[in-house]
Amino acid sequence: MSNNVNKRRKGSKINRSLLMASAIFAIILIGLISIVAIDHTSGQSYSVEEMPNYTQIKGEYQTEGLKYEKQPHLGDSKAKVKVVEFADFKCPACKKWKEMNMQRFLNEFIDTGKAELFFINYAFIDRDSILAASAGEAIAKQDNNKFWDFYDILYKHQGDESKIWATESFLLDLVKENIKDIDYDLFEKDLKSHTYMLDVKEDYKTAGHYGVNGTPQFMVNGELLPDSSYDGLANAINKQLKVISSSPQ
């Protein structure tokens, strides 16, 4: 009987050792998966830890003031109504709003000179949101109109919100193949050297200062709207136009 007991004890120790080894292996594997991923556009591996995050972006910035002069814009600069879109290029709702409402908005308010539209990054979903935003900033600094080409193309090629897809190689390839008549070498340099990361952080912090907590969100003449519906945005613009038209000149 004692031999059987000893055998059971030895077997129990072996099982516990195997379970412990399996648990340790699983922890290591999960850690590796969380740090290393595959960029499916190039087949190359990259480290998520090497991608930007806000704590790593150093420098001074100002959260007060919308800084219209720094933002990509559409429409007549003399328009009395200033509309700001806060968005994240990884946000599915932003893509949906753009596809369903943007052309109507342009027809009704931008082409008619009633409003001017500004884009401010609220890159909050993941690290590649920040990288995509910095790519947009780099293009906007070269050519405001080309930014809106980038805006269209990136939403058209938007990946899964839950996955890292807006990688450096993805963005470089996307711009090289689709955005013409920019200084591509300068764009590549700016993206790789994180030239405009602080601008993205300033956008993010500014948006938070004004109460933005998701995307897309809109602001009309400094007033943050409670929802992102087209009717809500149109009503807010028309309300401002009515107030302006009734004010003594």
Side-chain angles (χ1 to χ4, degrees), residues 95-147:
K95 176 182 178 179
K96 184 177 180 181
W97 199 97
K98 183 257 178 192
E99 291 175 342
M100 294 183 64
N101 301 312
M102 181 58 86
Q103 192 57 56
R104 180 183 175 188
F105 175 77
L106 295 177
N107 293 341
E108 292 184 4
F109 296 107
I110 299 301
D111 295 344
T112 57
K114 294 179 179 179
E116 185 178 12
L117 174 67
F118 299 85
F119 180 93
I120 295 183
N121 296 292
Y122 188 65
F124 74 102
I125 292 176
D126 212 325
R127 293 189 180 196
D128 55 332
S129 298
I130 303 173
L131 196 61
S134 74
E137 290 289 323
I139 290 176
K141 293 300 187 292
Q142 288 198 40
D143 188 321
N144 176 73
N145 292 328
K146 294 299 179 181
F147 168 83

Side-chain angles (χ1 to χ4, degrees), residues 176-208:
K176 190 171 188 178
E177 292 173 7
N178 296 281
I179 311 297
K180 307 303 179 185
D181 300 320
I182 65 166
D183 185 335
Y184 178 81
D185 291 338
L186 177 59
F187 169 74
E188 182 177 18
K189 175 180 174 292
D190 287 338
L191 185 66
K192 289 183 174 180
S193 61
H194 296 178
T195 303
Y196 297 107
M197 285 295 180
L198 188 59
D199 296 75
V200 176
K201 183 173 183 176
E202 184 175 61
D203 276 1
Y204 175 76
K205 293 294 187 179
T206 298

Side-chain angles (χ1 to χ4, degrees), residues 18-214:
L18 287 172
L19 286 172
M20 186 175 294
S22 298
I24 292 171
F25 177 77
I27 291 170
I28 293 171
L29 184 61
I30 290 170
L32 288 172
I33 291 172
S34 68
I35 294 174
V36 179
I38 298 295
D39 180 347
H40 294 290
T41 62
S42 65
Q44 297 177 343
S45 63
Y46 64 91
S47 171
V48 175
E49 296 300 323
E50 293 175 0
M51 300 191 78
N53 67 56
Y54 287 122
T55 60
Q56 295 169 336
I57 301 170
K58 306 297 183 183
E60 295 183 1
Y61 54 87
Q62 176 60 253
T63 60
E64 294 184 12
L66 294 169
K67 311 169 194 71
Y68 291 118
E69 71 283 356
K70 292 181 65 177
Q71 313 303 338
H73 58 93
L74 279 175
D76 188 347
S77 62
K78 295 179 182 179
K80 300 298 184 182
V81 179
K82 307 299 183 186
V83 178
V84 175
E85 177 189 2
F86 297 94
D88 184 320
F89 285 119
K90 287 193 65 173
C91 166
C94 296
K95 176 182 178 179
K96 184 177 180 181
W97 199 97
K98 183 257 178 192
E99 291 175 342
M100 294 183 64
N101 301 312
M102 181 58 86
Q103 192 57 56
R104 180 183 175 188
F105 175 77
L106 295 177
N107 293 341
E108 292 184 4
F109 296 107
I110 299 301
D111 295 344
T112 57
K114 294 179 179 179
E116 185 178 12
L117 174 67
F118 299 85
F119 180 93
I120 295 183
N121 296 292
Y122 188 65
F124 74 102
I125 292 176
D126 212 325
R127 293 189 180 196
D128 55 332
S129 298
I130 303 173
L131 196 61
S134 74
E137 290 289 323
I139 290 176
K141 293 300 187 292
Q142 288 198 40
D143 188 321
N144 176 73
N145 292 328
K146 294 299 179 181
F147 168 83
W148 296 101
D149 292 341
F150 175 79
Y151 174 95
D152 289 337
I153 292 296
L154 190 53
Y155 277 135
K156 188 178 294 185
H157 290 84
Q158 187 184 78
D160 189 326
E161 179 187 12
S162 66
K163 297 178 181 178
I164 298 290
W165 56 267
T167 61
E168 187 178 277
S169 60
F170 172 88
L171 293 165
L172 289 171
D173 289 345
L174 186 76
V175 170
K176 190 171 188 178
E177 292 173 7
N178 296 281
I179 311 297
K180 307 303 179 185
D181 300 320
I182 65 166
D183 185 335
Y184 178 81
D185 291 338
L186 177 59
F187 169 74
E188 182 177 18
K189 175 180 174 292
D190 287 338
L191 185 66
K192 289 183 174 180
S193 61
H194 296 178
T195 303
Y196 297 107
M197 285 295 180
L198 188 59
D199 296 75
V200 176
K201 183 173 183 176
E202 184 175 61
D203 276 1
Y204 175 76
K205 293 294 187 179
T206 298
H209 174 79
Y210 284 96
V212 174
N213 58 9

